[in-house]
Amino acid sequence: MTEREYLILIGKNITKIRKQRGITSKELGYQCDMEKSNLIPIEKGRINTTIGTLIKIAKALDVDIADFLKR
Amino acid sequence: MTEREYLILIGKNITKIRKQRGITSKELGYQCDMEKSNLIPIEKGRINTTIGTLIKIAKALDVDIADFLKR
DNA sequence: TCCAAAGGTATGATATATCATACCCGTTAT
DNA sequence: ATAACGGGTATGATATATCATACCTTTGGA
Protein backbone atom coordinates (compact mmCIF):
# COMPACT_ATOMS: atom_id res chain seq x y z
CA MET A 1 0.00 0.00 0.00
CA THR A 2 1.54 3.27 -1.11
CA GLU A 3 1.51 6.52 0.86
CA ARG A 4 -1.00 8.03 -1.54
CA GLU A 5 -3.31 5.02 -1.16
CA TYR A 6 -3.06 5.32 2.63
CA LEU A 7 -3.96 9.01 2.54
CA ILE A 8 -6.93 8.32 0.27
CA LEU A 9 -8.11 5.54 2.59
CA ILE A 10 -7.89 7.85 5.61
CA GLY A 11 -9.70 10.60 3.76
CA LYS A 12 -12.51 8.32 2.67
CA ASN A 13 -12.97 7.09 6.22
CA ILE A 14 -13.18 10.65 7.51
CA THR A 15 -15.78 11.57 4.89
CA LYS A 16 -17.78 8.44 5.63
CA ILE A 17 -17.88 9.06 9.37
CA ARG A 18 -18.61 12.75 8.89
CA LYS A 19 -21.62 11.93 6.71
CA GLN A 20 -22.77 9.34 9.23
CA ARG A 21 -22.78 12.20 11.74
CA GLY A 22 -24.82 14.24 9.24
CA ILE A 23 -22.52 17.25 9.34
CA THR A 24 -21.00 19.32 6.54
CA SER A 25 -17.30 19.87 5.91
CA LYS A 26 -17.76 23.44 7.08
CA GLU A 27 -19.22 22.29 10.38
CA LEU A 28 -16.53 19.69 10.91
CA GLY A 29 -13.91 22.30 10.12
CA TYR A 30 -15.49 24.58 12.70
CA GLN A 31 -15.48 21.86 15.35
CA CYS A 32 -11.83 21.03 14.58
CA ASP A 33 -10.87 24.69 14.40
CA MET A 34 -9.54 24.29 10.88
CA GLU A 35 -10.32 25.62 7.42
CA LYS A 36 -12.24 23.64 4.83
CA SER A 37 -9.51 24.61 2.36
CA ASN A 38 -7.38 22.24 4.40
CA LEU A 39 -10.02 19.74 5.49
CA ILE A 40 -11.44 18.94 2.07
CA PRO A 41 -8.04 18.10 0.50
CA ILE A 42 -7.40 15.85 3.50
CA GLU A 43 -10.68 14.04 2.84
CA LYS A 44 -9.56 13.71 -0.78
CA GLY A 45 -6.19 12.26 0.25
CA ARG A 46 -4.29 15.06 -1.44
CA ILE A 47 -2.49 16.30 1.67
CA ASN A 48 0.05 14.42 3.77
CA THR A 49 -1.50 15.67 6.98
CA THR A 50 -0.12 15.50 10.51
CA ILE A 51 -1.03 13.31 13.47
CA GLY A 52 -2.13 16.40 15.36
CA THR A 53 -4.68 17.24 12.71
CA LEU A 54 -6.01 13.68 12.64
CA ILE A 55 -6.37 13.82 16.41
CA LYS A 56 -8.45 16.98 16.17
CA ILE A 57 -10.69 15.42 13.52
CA ALA A 58 -11.04 12.19 15.50
CA LYS A 59 -12.07 14.11 18.61
CA ALA A 60 -14.63 16.14 16.70
CA LEU A 61 -16.11 12.96 15.22
CA ASP A 62 -15.85 11.13 18.54
CA VAL A 63 -13.89 8.20 17.14
CA ASP A 64 -10.40 6.79 17.59
CA ILE A 65 -7.65 7.62 15.11
CA ALA A 66 -7.27 3.92 14.40
CA ASP A 67 -10.75 4.03 12.85
CA PHE A 68 -9.32 6.18 10.06
CA LEU A 69 -6.91 3.40 9.11
CA LYS A 70 -9.50 0.65 8.74
CA ARG A 71 -10.26 -0.77 5.32
CA MET B 1 -5.63 12.03 25.78
CA THR B 2 -3.94 15.21 24.59
CA GLU B 3 -2.07 15.62 21.32
CA ARG B 4 1.25 15.71 23.14
CA GLU B 5 0.41 12.49 24.98
CA TYR B 6 -0.51 10.84 21.67
CA LEU B 7 2.77 11.88 20.08
CA ILE B 8 4.72 10.58 23.06
CA LEU B 9 2.84 7.28 22.90
CA ILE B 10 3.61 6.91 19.20
CA GLY B 11 7.25 7.79 19.77
CA LYS B 12 7.64 5.28 22.56
CA ASN B 13 6.11 2.55 20.42
CA ILE B 14 8.50 3.33 17.59
CA THR B 15 11.49 3.21 19.93
CA LYS B 16 10.30 -0.04 21.46
CA ILE B 17 9.84 -1.79 18.14
CA ARG B 18 13.12 -0.40 16.81
CA LYS B 19 14.98 -1.85 19.80
CA GLN B 20 13.18 -5.15 19.39
CA ARG B 21 14.61 -5.18 15.88
CA GLY B 22 18.03 -4.46 17.39
CA ILE B 23 18.77 -1.48 15.16
CA THR B 24 20.05 1.99 15.96
CA SER B 25 18.27 5.26 15.21
CA LYS B 26 20.87 5.91 12.53
CA GLU B 27 20.08 2.60 10.83
CA LEU B 28 16.34 3.15 11.04
CA GLY B 29 16.81 6.64 9.64
CA TYR B 30 18.79 5.15 6.77
CA GLN B 31 16.09 2.58 6.01
CA CYS B 32 13.42 5.28 6.12
CA ASP B 33 15.53 7.71 4.12
CA MET B 34 15.29 10.33 6.84
CA GLU B 35 17.66 12.16 9.18
CA LYS B 36 18.09 11.22 12.82
CA SER B 37 17.70 14.92 13.61
CA ASN B 38 14.11 14.34 12.62
CA LEU B 39 13.66 10.74 13.71
CA ILE B 40 14.87 11.12 17.29
CA PRO B 41 12.52 14.03 18.11
CA ILE B 42 9.68 11.95 16.65
CA GLU B 43 10.61 9.07 18.99
CA LYS B 44 10.59 11.62 21.81
CA GLY B 45 7.13 12.89 20.84
CA ARG B 46 8.41 16.41 20.27
CA ILE B 47 7.36 16.66 16.64
CA ASN B 48 3.85 16.59 15.20
CA THR B 49 4.91 14.35 12.36
CA THR B 50 3.01 13.45 9.20
CA ILE B 51 1.21 10.29 8.18
CA GLY B 52 3.68 9.88 5.33
CA THR B 53 6.61 9.76 7.72
CA LEU B 54 4.84 7.26 9.96
CA ILE B 55 4.20 5.10 6.91
CA LYS B 56 7.89 5.12 6.03
CA ILE B 57 8.85 4.16 9.57
CA ALA B 58 6.21 1.44 9.72
CA LYS B 59 7.44 -0.06 6.46
CA ALA B 60 11.05 -0.04 7.65
CA LEU B 61 10.04 -1.78 10.89
CA ASP B 62 7.67 -4.11 9.05
CA VAL B 63 4.65 -3.27 11.19
CA ASP B 64 1.31 -1.59 10.65
CA ILE B 65 0.82 2.07 11.50
CA ALA B 66 -1.93 1.06 13.90
CA ASP B 67 0.75 -0.63 16.02
CA PHE B 68 2.14 2.81 16.80
CA LEU B 69 -1.16 3.82 18.40
CA LYS B 70 -1.43 0.89 20.80
CA ARG B 71 -1.07 1.46 24.52
C1' DT C 1 -36.25 32.56 -11.38
C1' DC C 2 -33.11 33.20 -7.95
C1' DC C 3 -30.55 32.62 -4.00
C1' DA C 4 -28.39 30.13 -0.46
C1' DA C 5 -26.04 25.98 0.81
C1' DA C 6 -22.61 22.46 0.01
C1' DG C 7 -18.59 20.70 -2.17
C1' DG C 8 -14.51 21.98 -4.24
C1' DT C 9 -10.41 24.77 -6.15
C1' DA C 10 -6.82 28.71 -6.29
C1' DT C 11 -3.66 31.74 -4.20
C1' DG C 12 -0.52 34.26 -1.22
C1' DA C 13 0.97 34.39 3.59
C1' DT C 14 2.43 32.05 7.72
C1' DA C 15 3.74 28.13 10.59
C1' DT C 16 6.21 24.16 11.00
C1' DA C 17 8.18 19.49 9.48
C1' DT C 18 12.24 17.88 7.41
C1' DC C 19 17.06 18.17 5.71
C1' DA C 20 21.94 18.73 6.28
C1' DT C 21 25.38 19.42 9.20
C1' DA C 22 27.92 20.14 13.29
C1' DC C 23 28.40 19.43 17.91
C1' DC C 24 27.91 17.51 22.95
C1' DC C 25 27.78 13.67 26.31
C1' DG C 26 28.21 8.74 28.13
C1' DT C 27 29.73 4.46 27.43
C1' DT C 28 32.67 0.87 25.73
C1' DA C 29 36.55 -1.21 23.54
C1' DT C 30 41.25 -0.79 22.32
C1' DA D 1 43.88 7.80 27.35
C1' DT D 2 41.53 7.75 23.62
C1' DA D 3 38.83 6.64 19.71
C1' DA D 4 34.47 5.01 18.13
C1' DC D 5 29.63 4.56 18.78
C1' DG D 6 24.96 5.56 20.26
C1' DG D 7 21.77 8.85 21.75
C1' DG D 8 20.63 13.50 21.71
C1' DT D 9 20.54 18.71 20.66
C1' DA D 10 21.22 23.21 17.80
C1' DT D 11 20.88 25.75 13.71
C1' DG D 12 20.00 27.63 9.14
C1' DA D 13 17.90 26.28 4.79
C1' DT D 14 14.18 24.16 2.28
C1' DA D 15 9.74 21.89 1.63
C1' DT D 16 5.16 21.72 2.69
C1' DA D 17 0.90 21.86 5.84
C1' DT D 18 -2.28 25.17 7.29
C1' DC D 19 -4.65 29.70 7.27
C1' DA D 20 -7.47 33.20 5.25
C1' DT D 21 -9.91 34.53 1.61
C1' DA D 22 -12.05 34.60 -2.78
C1' DC D 23 -14.14 32.26 -6.32
C1' DC D 24 -16.61 28.45 -9.14
C1' DT D 25 -20.31 24.81 -9.82
C1' DT D 26 -24.18 22.20 -8.72
C1' DT D 27 -28.29 21.43 -6.31
C1' DG D 28 -32.48 22.32 -3.56
C1' DG D 29 -35.83 25.35 -1.83
C1' DA D 30 -38.50 29.86 -1.68
Side-chain angles (χ1 to χ4, degrees):
Chain A
M1 209 180 190
T2 126
E3 171 179 326
R4 173 62 53 97
E5 287 168 340
Y6 247 115
L7 295 175
I8 290 177
L9 170 67
I10 291 170
K12 280 186 177 168
N13 281 329
I14 293 174
T15 305
K16 187 162 122 193
I17 298 171
R18 173 175 63 78
K19 295 199 164 167
Q20 282 173 1
R21 300 285 183 275
I23 66 178
T24 68
S25 349
K26 190 180 168 189
E27 280 172 11
L28 179 56
Y30 178 73
Q31 290 176 28
C32 300
D33 193 33
M34 62 187 292
E35 297 297 322
K36 70 170 184 170
S37 62
N38 190 32
L39 179 58
I40 289 178
I42 289 172
E43 289 194 4
K44 292 290 171 184
R46 284 203 206 94
I47 280 186
N48 176 22
T49 191
T50 64
I51 298 297
T53 298
L54 283 194
I55 291 171
K56 289 198 292 185
I57 297 174
K59 279 183 180 166
L61 292 176
D62 193 32
V63 295
D64 195 272
I65 304 184
D67 293 331
F68 295 154
L69 303 173
K70 292 178 181 164
R71 316 204 192 196
Chain B
M1 209 179 190
T2 121
E3 170 178 326
R4 174 62 51 99
E5 287 167 340
Y6 247 115
L7 295 174
I8 290 176
L9 170 68
I10 291 170
K12 281 185 177 169
N13 281 330
I14 293 174
T15 305
K16 187 162 121 192
I17 299 172
R18 174 176 62 77
K19 296 199 164 166
Q20 282 172 0
R21 300 284 184 274
I23 66 178
T24 68
S25 349
K26 190 179 167 189
E27 280 171 11
L28 178 56
Y30 178 72
Q31 290 177 28
C32 299
D33 192 32
M34 62 185 293
E35 298 297 322
K36 70 170 185 170
S37 62
N38 190 32
L39 179 57
I40 290 178
I42 289 172
E43 288 195 4
K44 292 291 171 183
R46 285 203 204 94
I47 280 185
N48 177 23
T49 191
T50 64
I51 298 296
T53 298
L54 283 194
I55 290 170
K56 287 198 293 186
I57 297 174
K59 278 184 180 164
L61 292 175
D62 193 32
V63 294
D64 196 273
I65 305 185
D67 294 331
F68 295 155
L69 303 173
K70 292 177 181 165
R71 315 206 193 193

